[in-house]
Amino acid sequence: MFEGHDPYLVALSVVIAILGGYTGFGLTARIRGTPDASHRVLLAGAAFFLAIGIWTMHFVGMLAAPLPEGTVYLVLPTIVSFLICALVVGISLFFVSVGEPPVSRVVSSAVLLGVGIASMHYVGMHGLSGNFAMTHDAGMVVLSVAIAVATAYGGLRAFLARQGGVQLALSAIAYGFAVSGMHYTAMAGMHLVPPAEGPRHHIGGLAASPQILSLVVALLCFVIAAGFLLSLVPDPRNKVAETADKVAATPQSAAFVAEIPSADAGAVPTSPRLRPTPLGGIGQPPRAAPAPRLPVEGADGTHFIDTADVRSVRADAHYTKVHDGTRERMCPWSISEAEAQLDPGLFLRVHRSHIVAMAHVTLVRKEGDGAIVELDGPSPHRVPVSRAKIAEVKARLGLVRRHAS
């Protein structure tokens, strides 16, 4: 009773899993190095697209199977199967996105995610209702769970690798085939037999026909495709950032201001002479003594914190957020003003929107075209480093030697 899958729907199920994996991994690759609010949004988006990709792939695969006439899908188990998938994906991504996860946490998250994917499959299968009995081969069940766990581990490792471009596409392709392999392995171990050979597989409740399920699945396919296409659209802010980084990295891009020499009696005016601007910032007066404290706004007024307690400063519109190792607080200074006020021997502007206290850096790692640094404290956090600043960050950390100019 279970042979002759529709090859086109099987191929579509694999494509859906790949697109869902690419979109989900693309979002997870952006999680670290972002503000807390963006972190949560990206985590939710990644969990949503990965879960919807897995769930949609499962039911496209079910539509590809030659099920008996009159088979319907019970609504409650079908919805529960998606909730299980979304929950375990979100929890697993959260566990590996906090700090630098050890191997034990990655493995335990992979086991949780793999078991969750397998549970989603079998709960979804439990939603089939018709004039038949359903049995499963124990060996194929174990094999499908093992494939799901291995798939989950590979996906989490791709998340931790922060891959992009071709590597991200290859990871998504491998992920899509692995998730599909888990589904069809489990389906190969399922047998539908006449009801005389077993209890009739039917549970009362609201049911949907395969036609209605097809409409739902088609809608979700469009959602996944839309998310995939949106993930390919370049972010204009990244273009501006890359241009700024390239300009900052060009030696000839150092800013200059006109200095007109005082005209002595009888002196002939000459053309303006160019000189480098002071370290206080483009067009600003020479840097004064570094500020010993930074102002931060509280509910009862303005407080001041010692610069020794500052881990990082992040631009937030016309103001900044100061992280003291525990939490972020609003500072009335702009990012340029903060850069001008802080001691350049202790702080470094590593990104157009971030300044870090180099003494508190505990980790530096390459990520895409740039890098990230982790700062210590009761609540360690990570800050992105632009490509143009990687060499200077490494030099300040003693990882490379400075070359005399």
Side-chain angles (χ1 to χ4, degrees):
M1 295 178 65
F2 187 73
E3 290 181 358
H5 278 63
D6 186 324
Y8 296 105
L9 288 179
V10 171
L12 177 61
S13 69
V14 177
V15 171
I16 289 299
I18 292 173
L19 295 184
Y22 185 95
T23 308
F25 289 158
L27 291 173
T28 55
R30 304 177 188 176
I31 286 181
R32 294 187 180 180
T34 59
D36 291 341
S38 300
H39 183 118
R40 290 190 288 269
V41 172
L42 289 174
L43 182 63
F48 172 78
F49 277 103
L50 286 173
I52 205 172
I54 296 170
W55 188 87
T56 305
M57 176 270 138
H58 167 80
F59 280 99
V60 170
M62 292 303 301
L63 293 173
L67 297 176
E69 189 73 23
T71 300
V72 295
Y73 296 84
L74 298 177
V75 173
L76 181 59
T78 301
I79 294 176
V80 169
S81 68
F82 175 76
L83 295 179
I84 291 174
C85 189
L87 184 63
V88 296
V89 169
I91 292 175
S92 298
L93 291 182
F94 173 76
F95 282 162
V96 296
S97 67
V98 177
E100 185 66 19
V103 176
S104 58
R105 197 198 302 174
V106 177
V107 172
S108 59
S109 298
V111 172
L112 172 65
L113 181 54
V115 172
I117 293 174
S119 300
M120 179 278 303
H121 173 87
Y122 287 105
V123 170
M125 295 302 300
H126 187 71
L128 287 177
S129 180
N131 189 29
F132 53 82
M134 183 184 300
T135 62
H136 299 277
D137 293 339
M140 299 300 282
V141 171
V142 173
L143 179 59
S144 66
V145 173
I147 294 176
V149 172
T151 299
Y153 182 78
L156 294 179
R157 294 308 304 179
F159 162 74
L160 295 172
R162 308 295 184 274
Q163 297 173 337
V166 176
Q167 291 176 314
L168 175 60
L170 293 176
S171 297
I173 291 172
Y175 171 83
F177 276 100
V179 170
S180 303
M182 176 269 153
H183 171 83
Y184 291 109
T185 299
M187 293 294 286
M190 183 195 75
H191 303 284
L192 302 180
V193 298
E197 302 179 20
R200 187 170 180 267
H201 194 77
H202 179 80
I203 303 174
L206 184 63
S209 66
Q211 291 75 21
I212 294 178
L213 182 65
S214 299
L215 294 176
V216 174
V217 168
L219 176 62
L220 295 180
C221 289
F222 279 113
V223 171
I224 294 174
F228 171 72
L229 293 176
L230 287 176
S231 69
L232 299 180
V233 176
D235 190 345
R237 293 173 298 177
N238 292 339
K239 293 284 186 181
V240 174
E242 290 176 4
T243 303
D245 289 345
K246 290 179 181 178
V247 172
T250 305
Q252 291 80 4
S253 65
F256 293 91
V257 295
E259 180 183 15
I260 303 177
S262 58
D264 296 330
V268 178
T270 60
S271 59
R273 181 167 58 87
L274 298 180
R275 65 175 176 84
T277 59
L279 297 179
I282 297 177
Q284 293 185 9
R287 186 189 295 274
R293 298 186 299 172
L294 271 71
V296 292
E297 301 297 336
D300 55 347
T302 302
H303 299 260
F304 295 88
I305 60 175
D306 293 336
T307 56
D309 296 328
V310 175
R311 266 60 173 181
S312 67
V313 181
R314 174 174 63 86
D316 185 15
H318 298 294
Y319 305 98
T320 51
K321 293 287 187 68
V322 176
H323 203 300
D324 60 2
T326 302
R327 61 191 174 108
E328 279 189 326
R329 291 190 278 182
M330 177 68 72
C331 175
W333 292 351
S334 67
I335 190 70
S336 298
E337 187 176 3
E339 181 183 19
Q341 295 283 355
L342 294 171
D343 187 348
L346 302 177
F347 293 87
L348 177 65
R349 188 164 180 175
V350 299
H351 188 275
R352 69 187 186 281
S353 302
H354 295 274
I355 300 172
V356 301
M358 299 304 296
H360 292 285
V361 173
T362 60
L363 168 73
V364 59
R365 182 174 64 195
K366 190 80 167 60
E367 181 178 285
D369 291 336
I372 58 170
V373 292
E374 183 171 276
L375 303 166
D376 63 11
S379 299
H381 65 290
R382 298 192 174 192
V383 172
V385 179
S386 66
R387 179 176 54 188
K389 289 292 185 177
I390 294 177
E392 186 173 0
V393 168
K394 289 185 176 181
R396 292 282 292 268
L397 295 174
L399 299 178
V400 294
R401 294 183 178 179
R402 294 180 182 270
H403 297 284
S405 53

